[in-house]
Amino acid sequence: MEALKQGADTLFILLGAVMVLAMHAGFAFLELGTVRRKNQVNALVKILVDFSVSTIAYFLVGYGVAYGTHFFVGAEQLAAKNGFELVRFFFLLTFAAAIPAIISGGIAERARFWPQLIATAVIVGFVYPFFEGIAWNQHFGVQGWIKSLTGAEFHDFAGSVVVHAVGGWVALPAVILLGARANRYRKDGGISAHPPSSIPFLALGAWVLTVGWFGFNVMSAQTLDKISGLVAVNSLMAMVGGTLAALVAGKNDPGFVHNGPLAGLVAVCAGSDLMHPLGALVVGVVAGALFVRMFTLTQNRWKIDDVLGVWPLHGLCGTWGGIAAGIFGSKALGGLGGVNLGAQLMGTAMGVAWAVAGGLLVYGGLKAVMGLRLSQEEEYNGADLSIHMISATAEREVNW
């Protein structure tokens, strides 16, 4: 029976890993559909290569930083328990690799290729797993300290803060240091509109992410005996709440509508195992409206050219999710309890502070040493031709 349980748990978490791996296709097509046509190839290539670099960095360094273990042993030892630990690495890798995929959307259309790959290696190798180990593996006694002050540990079931807020807040310094796209904000005070190049591709990306998210959240249980239908239905309710809120707040704009479910899902991750479904619905509604409002302010008033709105979507909605777990996870609001708002505020603040510091250090260092941005001519021609020497839809043959 033990062997059967080990095999079932391995299959369970493997299916989760595959579902979250598929989400990276969603990241790719969401970015492809949002950027201008001259940057579509770059969007696709970045996500795949970032994932590959993330795999190496997390396998060699990051997983050890987070969980204090490594894979430098014989294959016989690695295959123990049906290879469960290896598949657990695969599952958690897909979370880690989401960080550069998130950042990619914010710095799209003007970032150099190789500096971003270096940033990916450092972020996935150290910046992300350092906080991951604190939140999910009791590193440095931080969780014990929070519990001693508040009566509960910081709770983040599936990564509202650990993954999404960290990714969004790392991206913010990168976007600011990189600067706005050429002619985005004109000297006369006007703003040049860059509408999505393909609403169908944007929608496809959103749908792939949405479906994969049920692996992201539900399979965060990691073993079959801990699976909870509550997580699935809470994810569903937050998704639809975010969609409807974005529909209304965004005045039927399809870009907002298709990012709405993502906002709701980002926010519900932390407390999806604790909330009542109606609480999850409220969390999603707030997240959808928050995204629309803050994306608009970021782009139009503050003139921060975050192309896909990754700071409002992941950074702010993830922050809201960490706090919301302490509110709607309480028994007073129909939740299962065991959480404390003070603990959630402390843990969330730590994650945000670490992410901002990490983003400033990594991208500030790269900007000083080798530069982050394409040349004016390269940006004008587009990343597709400048970096990859081919467009998404070549109109003529090129002779070299």
Side-chain angles (χ1 to χ4, degrees):
M1 287 299 293
E2 183 63 25
L4 181 61
K5 181 184 184 305
Q6 289 174 0
D9 286 342
T10 301
L11 178 60
F12 174 70
I13 199 170
L14 173 61
L15 292 174
V18 171
M19 289 183 73
V20 185
L21 173 62
M23 290 177 69
H24 289 265
F27 281 120
F29 280 96
L30 188 72
E31 183 174 333
L32 182 156
T34 304
V35 299
R36 287 170 289 179
R37 292 186 185 278
K38 61 183 179 180
N39 298 296
Q40 289 181 326
V41 172
N42 184 241
L44 294 172
V45 173
K46 274 193 304 178
I47 300 299
L48 179 58
V49 178
D50 271 339
F51 185 88
S52 301
V53 171
S54 297
T55 300
I56 302 301
Y58 199 65
F59 185 85
L60 296 178
V61 182
Y63 192 75
V65 171
Y67 299 101
T69 187
H70 61 79
F71 300 110
F72 301 106
V73 295
E76 183 178 357
Q77 188 171 337
L78 294 176
K81 298 181 180 179
N82 296 92
F84 178 81
E85 286 302 321
L86 280 177
V87 178
R88 181 172 182 263
F89 153 78
F90 182 12
F91 180 67
L92 292 170
L93 157 70
T94 59
F95 282 54
I99 303 294
I102 289 167
I103 296 168
S104 174
I107 63 176
E109 300 203 304
R110 76 275 201 206
R112 292 175 61 202
F113 189 65
W114 291 101
Q116 173 56 20
L117 293 185
I118 295 171
T120 292
V122 176
I123 291 166
V124 176
F126 180 73
V127 175
Y128 165 76
F130 184 86
F131 185 70
E132 179 187 15
I134 289 174
W136 287 343
N137 200 43
Q138 303 291 330
H139 278 192
F140 309 113
V142 173
Q143 286 282 29
W145 174 68
I146 292 175
K147 186 174 182 178
S148 70
L149 294 175
T150 66
E153 293 183 352
F154 168 61
H155 183 88
D156 190 355
F157 179 70
S160 284
V161 177
V162 176
V163 179
H164 297 287
V166 166
W169 284 94
V170 168
L172 181 61
V175 170
I176 293 172
L177 287 167
L178 195 60
R181 287 168 289 178
N183 201 42
R184 173 70 169 143
Y185 304 111
R186 301 193 304 271
K187 292 181 180 179
D188 64 3
I191 301 175
S192 297
H194 296 321
S197 59
S198 173
I199 295 296
F201 276 136
L202 187 158
L204 174 64
W207 270 110
V208 173
L209 282 164
T210 298
V211 173
W213 222 298
F214 287 85
F216 194 99
N217 284 2
V218 175
M219 270 75 162
S220 284
Q222 298 193 24
T223 55
L224 266 175
D225 60 312
K226 296 178 182 177
I227 191 171
S228 172
L230 183 65
V231 175
V233 174
N234 281 343
S235 301
L236 175 68
M237 296 299 279
M239 168 204 148
V240 300
T243 302
L244 295 174
L247 171 71
V248 175
K251 300 177 181 178
N252 305 329
D253 183 289
F256 285 138
V257 169
H258 286 95
N259 276 280
L262 310 184
L265 286 162
V266 164
V268 82
C269 288
S272 57
D273 61 327
L274 300 175
M275 298 176 186
H276 188 280
L278 291 177
L281 178 64
V282 174
V283 169
V285 167
V286 172
L290 177 66
F291 168 70
V292 173
R293 176 61 175 163
M294 295 308 296
F295 179 87
T296 304
L297 283 175
T298 301
Q299 295 285 337
N300 298 341
R301 182 175 297 179
W302 300 335
K303 297 184 178 179
I304 298 173
D305 194 13
D306 179 352
V307 179
L308 266 70
V310 299
W311 177 64
L313 181 64
H314 297 275
L316 295 183
C317 291
T319 301
W320 158 239
I323 297 167
I327 300 171
F328 293 95
S330 66
K331 289 188 176 181
L333 291 177
L336 297 181
V339 286
N340 179 278
L341 180 57
Q344 295 306 111
L345 289 168
M346 291 175 67
T348 301
M350 286 181 185
V352 169
W354 177 249
V356 171
L360 283 171
L361 186 62
V362 172
Y363 286 98
L366 284 170
K367 183 176 182 179
V369 172
M370 60 191 306
L372 294 173
R373 186 164 182 147
L374 294 172
S375 70
Q376 187 174 7
E377 182 180 0
E378 288 171 333
E379 184 180 347
Y380 177 80
N381 291 331
D384 293 357
L385 292 177
S386 299
I387 297 173
H388 310 289
M389 294 179 287
I390 192 170
S391 63
T393 52
E395 295 179 358
R396 60 183 176 86
E397 293 184 359
V398 179
N399 295 316
W400 295 96

